[in-house]
Amino acid sequence: MSTQPSLCTEIFGCTLKNPLILASGILGTTRDILKRVFSEGAGAATIKSISVNPRKGHNNPTVLNFGPGCINAVGYSNPGVKKAVEEYSDLSGVGGPVIGSLIGSNIEEFAQMAAAFDPLGFAALEIPVSCPHTPGFGKMARQDDPDTIREIVKAVCAHTSKPVFIKLPAAANNMVELALAAKEAGAYGLTAVNTVGPGMLINIETGRPYLGFGIGGISGPALKPLAIAATYQLSKEVGLPIIGTGGVSTGADAIEMIMAGATAVGVGTAVLSGGPSAFAQIAGEMTQILAEKGVSSLKDVRGLAHGE
């Protein structure tokens, strides 16, 4: 009889082979890239966020790795909903469940995006309301407000039957209030968290910010403690499934997130830095750690930090 621990995870009505989900904004731009991500071991994948109209995004440079993490200001570059619907019209062969990520600059655009995505094969929809560096969207449009979140989630849920996740900011003092507003409006789950910021790094040779937009969101290892704390707090006080996202680059990081109460684990910067092989690496390390602990299933360690 095999003693290999199981990484299987139940979320949004699907059984994932492992809890590792490609975070939005990293690679998920075409069906072919999604296939590559699944072939490298991802349990699920999130597409890059799509808006009603095409967006050029911010000027380069848009991404910079630094010592403890990464700072980016991509500005939601995407081909718009018409092209996206063509690209993702058939997801049956990509190799796993795909989450559609949609953005809007007003309630009507969120509703329009939800209606456009509803007939597609997405397993769930994700709504980021917390981007810290794109005018007209997220924090710069004050979408991370309880009342606005409630309106957005209601509008999206009215136009889709798919499970809806709301992607929360990294360091909000009212994190639980935001999550409860989403829950009240019909959200299925939470993604905790988005990049933190805005932050800035300056090139001392030129005296100018490195990023084309100046400010950006911070991800990677520097974000992990905030993401773990948010997941722990939301798991304790809200009671919705959580995709714990932020700074996960090893199997130990992923298990830490599960012990904080996450149902699944988002992986972003680790893939940006090391490529999609990060999924197999993290999953392998998780299996080894659980085996060494004599744990047979993630269910046995999920929420362990709560001491219940």
Side-chain angles (χ1 to χ4, degrees), residues 13 39 41-42 47 50 59 97 119 142 172 174 178 180 186 190 197 209 237 256 261 283 294-295:
S39 73
I47 66 167
I50 301 295
N59 293 328
R142 299 188 177 181
N174 60 344
L178 300 179
L180 290 174
L190 309 168
E237 301 193 40
E256 208 174 336
V295 174

PDB file of all heavy atoms in Angstrom, residues 13 39 41-42 47 50 59 97 119 142 172 174 178 180 186 190 197 209 237 256 261 283 294-295:
ATOM      1  N   GLY A  13     -15.876  23.285  -6.482  1.00  0.00           N
ATOM      2  CA  GLY A  13     -16.523  22.146  -7.125  1.00  0.00           C
ATOM      3  C   GLY A  13     -15.590  21.254  -7.908  1.00  0.00           C
ATOM      4  O   GLY A  13     -16.052  20.347  -8.614  1.00  0.00           O
ATOM      5  N   SER A  39       1.192  21.141 -17.530  1.00  0.00           N
ATOM      6  CA  SER A  39       2.155  20.054 -17.760  1.00  0.00           C
ATOM      7  C   SER A  39       3.311  20.120 -16.771  1.00  0.00           C
ATOM      8  O   SER A  39       3.988  19.120 -16.537  1.00  0.00           O
ATOM      9  CB  SER A  39       2.682  20.112 -19.200  1.00  0.00           C
ATOM     10  OG  SER A  39       3.589  21.193 -19.364  1.00  0.00           O
ATOM     11  N   GLY A  41       2.858  20.877 -13.625  1.00  0.00           N
ATOM     12  CA  GLY A  41       2.425  20.443 -12.301  1.00  0.00           C
ATOM     13  C   GLY A  41       1.437  21.311 -11.572  1.00  0.00           C
ATOM     14  O   GLY A  41       1.109  21.008 -10.412  1.00  0.00           O
ATOM     15  N   ALA A  42       0.940  22.392 -12.170  1.00  0.00           N
ATOM     16  CA  ALA A  42      -0.035  23.239 -11.466  1.00  0.00           C
ATOM     17  C   ALA A  42      -1.337  22.477 -11.215  1.00  0.00           C
ATOM     18  O   ALA A  42      -1.759  21.664 -12.036  1.00  0.00           O
ATOM     19  CB  ALA A  42      -0.319  24.498 -12.286  1.00  0.00           C
ATOM     20  N   ILE A  47      -6.091  33.089 -15.303  1.00  0.00           N
ATOM     21  CA  ILE A  47      -5.642  33.859 -16.470  1.00  0.00           C
ATOM     22  C   ILE A  47      -5.246  35.266 -16.042  1.00  0.00           C
ATOM     23  O   ILE A  47      -5.573  35.729 -14.943  1.00  0.00           O
ATOM     24  CB  ILE A  47      -6.731  33.942 -17.560  1.00  0.00           C
ATOM     25  CG1 ILE A  47      -7.935  34.765 -17.068  1.00  0.00           C
ATOM     26  CG2 ILE A  47      -7.169  32.552 -17.997  1.00  0.00           C
ATOM     27  CD1 ILE A  47      -8.895  35.161 -18.188  1.00  0.00           C
ATOM     28  N   ILE A  50      -8.634  40.487 -17.472  1.00  0.00           N
ATOM     29  CA  ILE A  50      -9.172  40.985 -18.739  1.00  0.00           C
ATOM     30  C   ILE A  50     -10.177  42.107 -18.467  1.00  0.00           C
ATOM     31  O   ILE A  50     -10.999  42.012 -17.554  1.00  0.00           O
ATOM     32  CB  ILE A  50      -9.881  39.847 -19.507  1.00  0.00           C
ATOM     33  CG1 ILE A  50      -8.901  38.696 -19.787  1.00  0.00           C
ATOM     34  CG2 ILE A  50     -10.489  40.371 -20.809  1.00  0.00           C
ATOM     35  CD1 ILE A  50      -7.753  39.048 -20.709  1.00  0.00           C
ATOM     36  N   ASN A  59       4.167  51.834 -19.368  1.00  0.00           N
ATOM     37  CA  ASN A  59       5.407  51.766 -20.140  1.00  0.00           C
ATOM     38  C   ASN A  59       6.457  50.936 -19.405  1.00  0.00           C
ATOM     39  O   ASN A  59       6.494  50.887 -18.183  1.00  0.00           O
ATOM     40  CB  ASN A  59       5.952  53.175 -20.385  1.00  0.00           C
ATOM     41  CG  ASN A  59       5.051  53.995 -21.299  1.00  0.00           C
ATOM     42  OD1 ASN A  59       4.394  53.444 -22.191  1.00  0.00           O
ATOM     43  ND2 ASN A  59       5.005  55.293 -21.079  1.00  0.00           N
ATOM     44  N   PRO A  97      -8.392  22.865 -14.175  1.00  0.00           N
ATOM     45  CA  PRO A  97      -9.358  23.950 -14.015  1.00  0.00           C
ATOM     46  C   PRO A  97      -8.708  25.323 -14.181  1.00  0.00           C
ATOM     47  O   PRO A  97      -7.602  25.556 -13.702  1.00  0.00           O
ATOM     48  CB  PRO A  97      -9.856  23.771 -12.570  1.00  0.00           C
ATOM     49  CG  PRO A  97      -9.448  22.393 -12.175  1.00  0.00           C
ATOM     50  CD  PRO A  97      -8.206  22.083 -12.937  1.00  0.00           C
ATOM     51  N   PRO A 119     -20.395  31.948 -20.305  1.00  0.00           N
ATOM     52  CA  PRO A 119     -20.538  30.749 -21.162  1.00  0.00           C
ATOM     53  C   PRO A 119     -19.239  29.975 -21.351  1.00  0.00           C
ATOM     54  O   PRO A 119     -19.270  28.855 -21.872  1.00  0.00           O
ATOM     55  CB  PRO A 119     -21.002  31.344 -22.510  1.00  0.00           C
ATOM     56  CG  PRO A 119     -21.410  32.746 -22.238  1.00  0.00           C
ATOM     57  CD  PRO A 119     -20.590  33.187 -21.074  1.00  0.00           C
ATOM     58  N   ARG A 142     -10.528  53.183  -5.636  1.00  0.00           N
ATOM     59  CA  ARG A 142     -11.221  52.930  -4.360  1.00  0.00           C
ATOM     60  C   ARG A 142     -12.226  51.776  -4.465  1.00  0.00           C
ATOM     61  O   ARG A 142     -13.320  51.817  -3.877  1.00  0.00           O
ATOM     62  CB  ARG A 142     -11.906  54.208  -3.862  1.00  0.00           C
ATOM     63  CG  ARG A 142     -10.918  55.333  -3.601  1.00  0.00           C
ATOM     64  CD  ARG A 142     -11.556  56.527  -2.933  1.00  0.00           C
ATOM     65  NE  ARG A 142     -10.562  57.557  -2.643  1.00  0.00           N
ATOM     66  CZ  ARG A 142     -10.823  58.705  -2.052  1.00  0.00           C
ATOM     67  NH1 ARG A 142     -12.061  58.999  -1.690  1.00  0.00           N
ATOM     68  NH2 ARG A 142      -9.864  59.572  -1.826  1.00  0.00           N
ATOM     69  N   ALA A 172      -4.818  45.743   4.489  1.00  0.00           N
ATOM     70  CA  ALA A 172      -5.934  46.608   4.879  1.00  0.00           C
ATOM     71  C   ALA A 172      -6.271  46.414   6.353  1.00  0.00           C
ATOM     72  O   ALA A 172      -6.293  45.286   6.849  1.00  0.00           O
ATOM     73  CB  ALA A 172      -7.156  46.275   4.022  1.00  0.00           C
ATOM     74  N   ASN A 174      -9.122  46.929   7.537  1.00  0.00           N
ATOM     75  CA  ASN A 174     -10.493  46.413   7.585  1.00  0.00           C
ATOM     76  C   ASN A 174     -10.660  45.160   6.734  1.00  0.00           C
ATOM     77  O   ASN A 174     -11.700  44.957   6.098  1.00  0.00           O
ATOM     78  CB  ASN A 174     -11.485  47.487   7.137  1.00  0.00           C
ATOM     79  CG  ASN A 174     -11.224  47.955   5.706  1.00  0.00           C
ATOM     80  OD1 ASN A 174     -10.161  47.701   5.156  1.00  0.00           O
ATOM     81  ND2 ASN A 174     -12.200  48.615   5.117  1.00  0.00           N
ATOM     82  N   LEU A 178     -14.023  43.849   4.652  1.00  0.00           N
ATOM     83  CA  LEU A 178     -14.069  43.699   3.194  1.00  0.00           C
ATOM     84  C   LEU A 178     -14.531  42.294   2.809  1.00  0.00           C
ATOM     85  O   LEU A 178     -15.358  42.114   1.910  1.00  0.00           O
ATOM     86  CB  LEU A 178     -12.685  43.969   2.597  1.00  0.00           C
ATOM     87  CG  LEU A 178     -12.068  45.344   2.824  1.00  0.00           C
ATOM     88  CD1 LEU A 178     -10.686  45.419   2.178  1.00  0.00           C
ATOM     89  CD2 LEU A 178     -12.970  46.444   2.300  1.00  0.00           C
ATOM     90  N   LEU A 180     -16.267  40.140   4.614  1.00  0.00           N
ATOM     91  CA  LEU A 180     -17.666  39.907   4.988  1.00  0.00           C
ATOM     92  C   LEU A 180     -18.621  40.585   4.011  1.00  0.00           C
ATOM     93  O   LEU A 180     -19.710  40.064   3.726  1.00  0.00           O
ATOM     94  CB  LEU A 180     -17.914  40.398   6.415  1.00  0.00           C
ATOM     95  CG  LEU A 180     -17.251  39.556   7.522  1.00  0.00           C
ATOM     96  CD1 LEU A 180     -17.435  40.215   8.888  1.00  0.00           C
ATOM     97  CD2 LEU A 180     -17.811  38.137   7.546  1.00  0.00           C
ATOM     98  N   GLY A 186     -22.495  37.441  -1.956  1.00  0.00           N
ATOM     99  CA  GLY A 186     -22.591  36.195  -2.704  1.00  0.00           C
ATOM    100  C   GLY A 186     -21.284  35.586  -3.148  1.00  0.00           C
ATOM    101  O   GLY A 186     -21.288  34.611  -3.909  1.00  0.00           O
ATOM    102  N   LEU A 190     -12.316  33.746  -1.252  1.00  0.00           N
ATOM    103  CA  LEU A 190     -11.416  34.894  -1.155  1.00  0.00           C
ATOM    104  C   LEU A 190     -10.054  34.513  -1.714  1.00  0.00           C
ATOM    105  O   LEU A 190      -9.601  33.376  -1.533  1.00  0.00           O
ATOM    106  CB  LEU A 190     -11.254  35.324   0.306  1.00  0.00           C
ATOM    107  CG  LEU A 190     -12.539  35.531   1.100  1.00  0.00           C
ATOM    108  CD1 LEU A 190     -12.217  35.668   2.584  1.00  0.00           C
ATOM    109  CD2 LEU A 190     -13.284  36.771   0.600  1.00  0.00           C
ATOM    110  N   GLY A 197       1.246  47.627  -1.535  1.00  0.00           N
ATOM    111  CA  GLY A 197       1.845  48.858  -2.026  1.00  0.00           C
ATOM    112  C   GLY A 197       0.842  49.989  -2.119  1.00  0.00           C
ATOM    113  O   GLY A 197      -0.250  49.901  -1.567  1.00  0.00           O
ATOM    114  N   PRO A 209      12.888  56.624 -10.716  1.00  0.00           N
ATOM    115  CA  PRO A 209      12.354  55.298 -10.338  1.00  0.00           C
ATOM    116  C   PRO A 209      12.665  54.265 -11.412  1.00  0.00           C
ATOM    117  O   PRO A 209      12.691  54.586 -12.603  1.00  0.00           O
ATOM    118  CB  PRO A 209      10.845  55.555 -10.235  1.00  0.00           C
ATOM    119  CG  PRO A 209      10.710  57.016 -10.016  1.00  0.00           C
ATOM    120  CD  PRO A 209      11.844  57.657 -10.776  1.00  0.00           C
ATOM    121  N   GLU A 237     -12.245  34.201  10.824  1.00  0.00           N
ATOM    122  CA  GLU A 237     -13.380  35.080  11.069  1.00  0.00           C
ATOM    123  C   GLU A 237     -14.413  35.151   9.948  1.00  0.00           C
ATOM    124  O   GLU A 237     -15.468  35.740  10.126  1.00  0.00           O
ATOM    125  CB  GLU A 237     -12.869  36.502  11.364  1.00  0.00           C
ATOM    126  CG  GLU A 237     -11.943  36.543  12.579  1.00  0.00           C
ATOM    127  CD  GLU A 237     -11.674  37.946  13.066  1.00  0.00           C
ATOM    128  OE1 GLU A 237     -12.623  38.756  13.067  1.00  0.00           O
ATOM    129  OE2 GLU A 237     -10.534  38.235  13.440  1.00  0.00           O
ATOM    130  N   GLU A 256       2.856  26.155   5.140  1.00  0.00           N
ATOM    131  CA  GLU A 256       2.585  27.239   6.094  1.00  0.00           C
ATOM    132  C   GLU A 256       1.246  27.898   5.771  1.00  0.00           C
ATOM    133  O   GLU A 256       0.440  28.196   6.662  1.00  0.00           O
ATOM    134  CB  GLU A 256       3.722  28.258   5.985  1.00  0.00           C
ATOM    135  CG  GLU A 256       4.000  29.047   7.250  1.00  0.00           C
ATOM    136  CD  GLU A 256       5.231  29.923   7.092  1.00  0.00           C
ATOM    137  OE1 GLU A 256       6.105  29.638   6.252  1.00  0.00           O
ATOM    138  OE2 GLU A 256       5.299  30.910   7.837  1.00  0.00           O
ATOM    139  N   GLY A 261      -4.817  28.174   7.191  1.00  0.00           N
ATOM    140  CA  GLY A 261      -6.237  27.992   6.896  1.00  0.00           C
ATOM    141  C   GLY A 261      -6.591  28.049   5.428  1.00  0.00           C
ATOM    142  O   GLY A 261      -7.771  27.952   5.076  1.00  0.00           O
ATOM    143  N   ALA A 283       5.369  21.200  -5.201  1.00  0.00           N
ATOM    144  CA  ALA A 283       4.562  20.020  -4.889  1.00  0.00           C
ATOM    145  C   ALA A 283       5.426  18.880  -4.364  1.00  0.00           C
ATOM    146  O   ALA A 283       5.056  18.181  -3.402  1.00  0.00           O
ATOM    147  CB  ALA A 283       3.785  19.572  -6.129  1.00  0.00           C
ATOM    148  N   GLY A 294       4.652  12.168   8.693  1.00  0.00           N
ATOM    149  CA  GLY A 294       3.689  11.087   8.842  1.00  0.00           C
ATOM    150  C   GLY A 294       2.265  11.533   8.594  1.00  0.00           C
ATOM    151  O   GLY A 294       1.311  10.931   9.114  1.00  0.00           O
ATOM    152  N   VAL A 295       2.109  12.605   7.787  1.00  0.00           N
ATOM    153  CA  VAL A 295       0.784  13.147   7.480  1.00  0.00           C
ATOM    154  C   VAL A 295       0.316  12.579   6.141  1.00  0.00           C
ATOM    155  O   VAL A 295       1.054  12.599   5.163  1.00  0.00           O
ATOM    156  CB  VAL A 295       0.843  14.691   7.412  1.00  0.00           C
ATOM    157  CG1 VAL A 295      -0.488  15.263   6.940  1.00  0.00           C
ATOM    158  CG2 VAL A 295       1.215  15.262   8.764  1.00  0.00           C
TER     159      VAL A 295
END
